[in-house]
Each structure stands twice: as structure tokens, then as C-alpha cells.
Amino acid sequence: MRTYQLQSGAGIGALVQTDLASRPLGPRDVRVRMRAAALNARDLAFARGAFYNPPSHPIVPLVDGCGEVVEIGDEVTRFVVGERVITNYYPRWIDGTITPAKTAVSFGAQLDGTLAEELVTDQEGLVRAPASLDDRAAATLSCAGLTAWHALFGVATLLPGANVLLLGTGGVSIWALQLASAAGLFPIITSSQDDKLERAVSLGARATVNYRSTPEWQKEVIGLTHGLGADLVVEVGGEGTLARSLQASRAGGTVVVIGRVSGGGGISIEPGALIGGAKRLTGITTGSRALLEDLVRFVDSAAITPAIDKVFGFGEARDAYDYVAHGQHFGKTVIDFSQ
């Protein structure tokens, strides 16, 4: 089968296409013919060597993917041949609260991932794909979609009309925008580019802020929420944005940290910023299979079509990596195996 391999820390330039023999099935394994995969910031981090506990040998990269079950082991009960499936980011995190054991391995980081014509994995590592989405769109749920869902609905209790602040127009933020809009929330989104803000409005953004022309964007957010601040902030920036995100959140509000695009260190937070307003600061990492199944049901019922910025063919995988690395994408970047 055709596949790609990459050594953690070797850089995007070390991504190589090769041919490998198909793996034999264990009794609880499922063989999936992959049809599409999507890229995330974590895949760039793996390439750069900035990812937790990678193996010392090259593996198949990428965690997001959608495909068709073509073979099952003798003890498989969750799937039948012909079903469309997507990967569960952490195949051992089925339900409940997070533990080190549940998040010890993920596809494309410690286990072979989705950038291959076939994926063989234990049946617990898969979820049925949304019936309403094609393969390209379904391939975007496992990381960005699940992280956005967890941030919005797994941390705080938000009622329709709640103000949600989303930073930037990358994969998680745009997924969160579409989910928030479908759930009747009031999404506010930031970007440095007005054309991206216009696209965000077409996807349901109720208010926008250009953080380049408005450096004190947290004050603008407070004004847009009638002096209250956001009920919840999906914080993707880290070092360069966290302090402002806290200021932009309302008394009793929540800031959910899911990324560190602007860096991960050197942040000074005054305890009073949390105590005085009874604010909550929490971090998350994607989520469980149960949360992913909840997301699939919501996507189908709300008829959400994820925003895909650009599609590359299987032979253009390195170009797809470069495209995401330059940070100009709006929503998701996908690799279609049929191209």
C-alpha cells in the first residue's frame, strides 16, 4: 500500500512517500481503506519535534481521517464491512475524565496515523462517520472538531445567546464558530484580515474584531457584550493572547486554553484576574470517544458542513504541510486520497 512516513523532529522536508505491506488483522482489529485525511497544528508540532513522547522511528503521520471498513477481525462487534468510519484521536479514551493512561497514545504521534491507503487499528479507536458529510468533511472531526466541541460544551454550561469569543480563523476556531452558531450562541471572532472576518460572518459570526487594527481587542469584546465580557473564550494563542482573553471574559466566565500558537511560555497571570471576577481558566486536549460520538450526532442533526479551505491530492501531502505551516488557511486543509 502507498503510505507516508515521518520521523518526529525531522521537519516537513523529511516526509517521504513509500510502499509498505498491509498489516495482518488481530481478532479485534479493523482494516480501513482511507479516503481522506486532514492536517492540524499538532501534525506540524510532530514534524518539528515539539510533541509529547514520540517514537524513535518514523511512523505514518496525521490523526484525522475518514475511510471505509474493508475487513474485520473475528471478535469485532462495533463495525461491519462497508461502514464509513473516522478515527478517535485517543483510541484508549473511551469515556469519562482524562487520565494519563487514556491519553498515552494517539494516531500519527505514537501510533501509525491516517496518511496511508490503509489503517489497521483496534475497533475501539474508531467512530461511525456522520452520514450527512462526505469523506473530506468527515475527516476534519477527530481533532479540530472534537476540540471545539469539548471546549464549547464539555467544560461550561452555555445557554442559547451566550457570548463566545473565538481567536483567529484556524481549524478549531472555525469549527467552534460553526458549532456555536448552530447551537444558538453569540460567536465573536477575531482575525488580522478583514476578508477572513467577512467569511466568518457568512458562517455565523455575530460580531468580529480585527486585532491588527484594534490591538486592545479585549476592550472591543467587552463593548460588544454590553460591558459584560464573553461567557467563554476558546483560547488558541497562549503566550501572546492569554492575558487579554482573561480580560475579555465576564465575571464568572471561562477561558478554555486549547493551543499555543503565539508561544507557550513567559506568561504572567495575576491571581486577582481570576479571583476578583470568579473566572475559570482551564486547559483541554481534544476529548473522549463519547464526546466525538456526541459531535457526530450534532453535526448530522444540525446539518453542519465543516469549512474546508483547500484540498490536496495524496501525492501532494508535503505541499499540504507547507500550506498549513504558512498559516494562511481558513478552516481545514484536507488531503483527498482519490486525487
Side-chain angles (χ1 to χ4, degrees), residues 68-335:
E68 178 187 353
V69 175
V70 294
E71 188 181 3
I72 59 175
D74 294 339
E75 298 178 12
V76 170
T77 58
R78 299 190 67 240
F79 304 102
V80 298
V81 171
E83 287 189 295
R84 292 169 63 242
V85 293
I86 59 175
T87 46
N88 181 37
Y89 187 100
Y90 292 115
R92 298 178 185 172
W93 190 1
I94 307 304
D95 201 354
T97 58
I98 190 172
T99 68
K102 292 176 181 178
T103 58
V105 297
S106 65
F107 294 109
Q110 294 82 25
L111 305 173
D112 279 338
T114 59
L115 195 52
E117 290 182 317
E118 285 185 3
L119 172 69
V120 173
T121 183
D122 185 279
Q123 64 176 340
E124 303 297 342
L126 299 168
V127 168
R128 287 178 182 83
S132 60
L133 298 183
D134 63 20
D135 298 327
R136 294 176 177 181
T140 71
L141 269 73
S142 303
C143 182
L146 177 56
T147 303
W149 178 262
H150 190 179
L152 290 175
F153 307 113
V155 174
T157 301
L158 297 177
L159 298 176
N163 301 304
V164 177
L165 175 60
L166 311 170
L167 306 187
T169 54
V172 174
S173 294
I174 295 301
W175 250 112
L177 169 61
Q178 294 185 269
L179 293 171
S181 177
L185 306 179
F186 188 96
I188 304 166
I189 196 163
T190 72
S191 175
S192 63
Q193 300 177 42
D194 288 336
D195 62 329
K196 289 187 175 182
L197 292 175
E198 291 174 6
R199 293 173 69 184
V201 169
S202 71
L203 292 176
R206 301 291 297 277
T208 64
V209 181
N210 186 315
Y211 63 78
R212 181 162 294 167
S213 59
T214 310
E216 297 289 315
W217 49 265
Q218 76 279 9
K219 296 180 180 179
E220 182 74 7
V221 171
I222 292 172
L224 289 167
T225 56
H226 309 290
L228 297 176
D231 295 283
L232 184 140
V233 182
V234 180
E235 165 59 55
V236 303
E239 183 177 337
T241 57
L242 182 55
R244 295 186 191 278
S245 290
L246 280 168
Q247 293 173 42
S249 62
R250 69 164 177 84
T254 302
V255 177
V256 184
V257 181
I258 63 99
R260 48 185 178 179
V261 174
S262 62
I267 304 173
S268 177
I269 298 174
E270 292 293 333
L274 298 173
I275 298 170
K279 299 180 181 183
R280 182 161 59 142
L281 177 65
T282 186
I284 65 166
T285 173
T286 54
S288 66
R289 192 182 77 197
L291 283 173
L292 181 57
E293 290 168 338
D294 289 342
L295 171 61
V296 169
R297 284 190 290 270
F298 186 75
V299 165
D300 275 338
S301 65
I304 295 173
T305 301
I308 296 176
D309 184 73
K310 193 166 184 178
V311 178
F312 293 83
F314 186 81
E316 302 172 310
R318 191 180 296 177
D319 294 333
Y321 268 83
D322 287 334
Y323 185 73
V324 175
H326 282 87
Q328 294 303 304
H329 55 288
F330 180 98
K332 297 300 298 176
T333 300
V334 173
I335 296 173

